């Protein structure tokens, strides 16, 4: 079996477990007033589980395969060393570091740092464009979450109050 089908099989198993949890265990402890509503807290997980099971099955059964051989943009699994695996691993590590530093460093500092360092790793070298765009993007998202939605999001590091 090809690598994409093995990955689809693993994702299918995870999605089946997630779907079982969403359909059978999440709604057991709902308050009575929540049970009479048309949309429950488990509605989105149920939809997500069904759609991901369908997607995994379509890959597992080979419905997404086109007729003919591999095309120009397809990944060749026998030549993985030609791809930038190290760059992808560094970006994944940066995502983990962002999640770990989000609380202690604050949203604005950690988000701007993540965007600037991530863009630098991916090859962007025009810092006079990169830094203002990262600052405006992080500030805009913070404003929307904090002020518009009313969800508290610590903007600065914990030692600044």
């Amino acid at each position: 079996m090809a690598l994409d089908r093995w990955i689809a099989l693993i994702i299918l198993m995870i999605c089946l477990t997630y779907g079982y949890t969403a359909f059978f265990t999440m709604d057991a402890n709902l308050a009575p007033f929540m049970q009479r509503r048309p949309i429950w807290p488990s509605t989105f997980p149920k939809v997500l589980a069904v759609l991901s099971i369908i997607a995994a099955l379509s890959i597992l059964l080979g419905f997404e395969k086109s007729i003919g051989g591999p095309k120009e943009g397809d990944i060749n699994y026998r030549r993985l060393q030609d791809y930038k695996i190290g760059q992808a691993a560094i970006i994944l590590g940066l995502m983990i570091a962002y999640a770990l530093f989000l609380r202690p460093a604050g949203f604005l500092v950690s988000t701007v740092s993540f965007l600037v360092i991530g863009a630098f790793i991916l090859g962007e070298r025009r810092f006079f464009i990169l830094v203002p765009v990262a600052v405006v993007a992080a500030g805009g998202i913070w404003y929307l979450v904090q002020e518009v939605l009313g969800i508290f999001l610590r903007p600065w590091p914990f030692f600044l109050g």
Side-chain angles (χ1 to χ4, degrees):
M1 189 166 17
L3 180 62
D4 58 344
R5 291 190 179 182
W6 279 108
I7 293 171
L9 181 65
I10 293 168
I11 291 173
L12 178 65
M13 295 300 152
I14 293 169
C15 293
L16 286 172
T17 305
Y18 183 70
Y20 176 80
T21 304
F23 276 95
F24 297 109
T25 63
M26 286 182 74
D27 299 331
N29 297 327
L30 278 179
F33 72 92
M34 288 294 294
Q35 292 177 352
R36 290 187 285 275
R37 297 194 182 263
I39 296 179
W40 292 359
S42 65
T43 302
F44 182 70
K46 288 175 183 176
V47 171
L48 187 63
V50 169
L51 291 177
S52 56
I53 288 170
I54 291 170
L57 280 175
S58 71
I59 294 171
L60 193 60
L61 298 175
F63 292 141
E64 89 290 350
K65 298 283 184 191
S66 61
I67 299 173
K71 294 193 171 113
E72 178 63 31
D74 290 348
I75 294 176
N76 186 356
Y77 301 113
R78 293 177 184 88
R79 297 180 47 172
L80 282 178
Q81 70 273 7
D82 293 345
Y83 300 108
K84 297 182 179 182
I85 303 287
Q87 200 176 35
I90 292 172
I91 292 291
L92 284 173
L94 185 63
M95 289 178 189
I96 293 169
Y98 173 71
L100 292 174
F101 284 109
L102 191 57
R103 273 205 175 156
F107 180 78
L108 294 176
V109 173
S110 59
T111 303
V112 169
S113 301
F114 173 74
L115 291 174
V116 170
I117 295 169
F120 180 77
I121 290 170
L122 292 176
E124 181 60 49
R125 301 293 186 257
R126 294 178 295 182
F127 288 106
F128 62 92
I129 295 174
L130 178 62
V131 173
V133 167
V135 168
V136 168
I141 291 171
W142 176 82
Y143 178 78
L144 287 174
V145 171
Q146 177 77 26
E147 302 299 327
V148 176
L149 295 177
I151 301 170
F152 175 71
L153 190 59
R154 181 187 311 266
W156 304 112
F158 67 94
F159 57 84
L160 291 179

